Amino acid sequence: MTPPLITPKKRIALLKALASPARIEVVEVMQISGPATVAEISTQLGRAADSLYHHLRQLEKAGIVERQGTRLSGGRSGAVYALCDRAVTADSSQESPAEERAAMADLGAAILRLTERDMRTALTDDWEPESTFAGMHDFPLVQRTKGWLSPDQAAIAMEKIQDVQNFMREHAVCEDPGESGSRLFALSLVLSPVPERRKDKAPATETETTP
């Protein structure tokens, strides 16, 4: 079944809703642990429950999460939130409007802020290589590489990146991390054309002068 197309307006609303490190984390909790109450999300993120309601409302309004009944959590009944089970794709036959590109840039910035926080934490308070599995000293893996790619080569790079993303998604759920010796990892990816660096002024040319 072909996934339904979403309008540029709907896509912009979705991107704007996700352009927040806190909301990205909320979505990640549900990706890893499944449907959850505010109290359960609060416990996993170490955030006050009251600070999460606004973010959940924004995600719900954008159609990213939905309520699925209630259940007891922490001795209280609370709404259960789950990721919407809808496969969507953008209509690539139209050029992305400027507002959509700006929303994508905001989302990328939010992901990078979250990535920086995780990386710094891994290298400081949370960094205990002697208590983790072999090779842990090689993480976090931080690299930046440039290369000249033709359109076909860029498409190949995207396919390889998608393979890595799919591998991570296949291991998003771990029933017993303690038994398996697993540790939660985050992967952030940015593949972007590099804008041409233009000089404001043309280089001065040498001219002959007569004494």
Side-chain angles (χ1 to χ4, degrees):
M1 180 177 179
T2 303
L5 296 176
I6 58 174
T7 65
K9 183 177 180 180
K10 177 68 175 176
R11 179 170 170 81
I12 290 169
L14 186 149
L15 293 172
K16 286 184 175 180
L18 285 173
S20 158
R23 290 196 278 276
I24 293 171
E25 285 188 305
V26 169
V27 169
E28 288 176 341
V29 167
M30 286 181 263
Q31 287 175 332
I32 294 169
S33 303
T37 65
V38 173
E40 292 164 348
I41 297 172
S42 170
T43 298
Q44 291 203 41
L45 295 181
R47 291 176 176 268
D50 290 345
S51 70
L52 297 174
Y53 287 103
H54 166 72
H55 296 301
L56 283 164
R57 282 195 297 269
Q58 295 299 313
L59 292 170
E60 188 175 14
K61 182 178 178 181
I64 298 169
V65 305
E66 60 187 2
R67 302 189 195 195
Q68 293 186 347
T70 61
R71 72 173 174 227
L72 287 176
S73 179
R76 299 177 59 183
S77 178
V80 177
Y81 292 88
L83 295 178
C84 294
D85 187 19
R86 300 191 187 100
V88 295
T89 182
D91 184 358
S92 59
S93 64
Q94 300 179 2
E95 292 186 5
S96 299
E99 187 179 3
E100 181 177 335
R101 295 197 298 272
M104 179 64 76
D106 289 341
L107 172 58
I111 291 172
L112 292 176
R113 289 199 301 274
L114 189 57
T115 300
E116 180 183 8
R117 191 203 68 184
D118 288 344
M119 179 190 67
R120 290 185 181 277
T121 301
L123 289 170
T124 54
D125 299 339
D126 190 44
W127 191 237
E128 299 177 356
E130 68 280 359
S131 64
T132 55
F133 49 82
M136 193 66 191
H137 62 277
D138 295 330
F139 295 97
L141 177 62
V142 182
Q143 293 184 352
R144 175 177 166 89
T145 306
K146 285 185 178 181
W148 293 91
L149 303 178
S150 68
D152 288 344
Q153 290 168 332
I156 292 172
M158 288 292 290
E159 289 178 3
K160 292 182 180 296
I161 289 172
Q162 190 64 53
D163 287 341
V164 176
Q165 287 181 309
N166 290 337
F167 178 81
M168 294 291 288
R169 290 180 182 130
E170 290 170 1
H171 297 83
V173 178
C174 183
E175 298 296 337
D176 194 342
E179 288 292 327
S180 64
S182 299
R183 181 168 181 175
L184 186 61
F185 280 76
L187 174 69
S188 302
L189 295 166
V190 177
L191 177 64
S192 173
V194 177
E196 182 180 352
R197 302 293 193 263
R198 293 188 176 90
K199 295 182 179 179
D200 294 334
K201 296 181 180 180
T205 57
E206 295 183 1
T207 57
E208 294 184 0
T209 58
T210 55

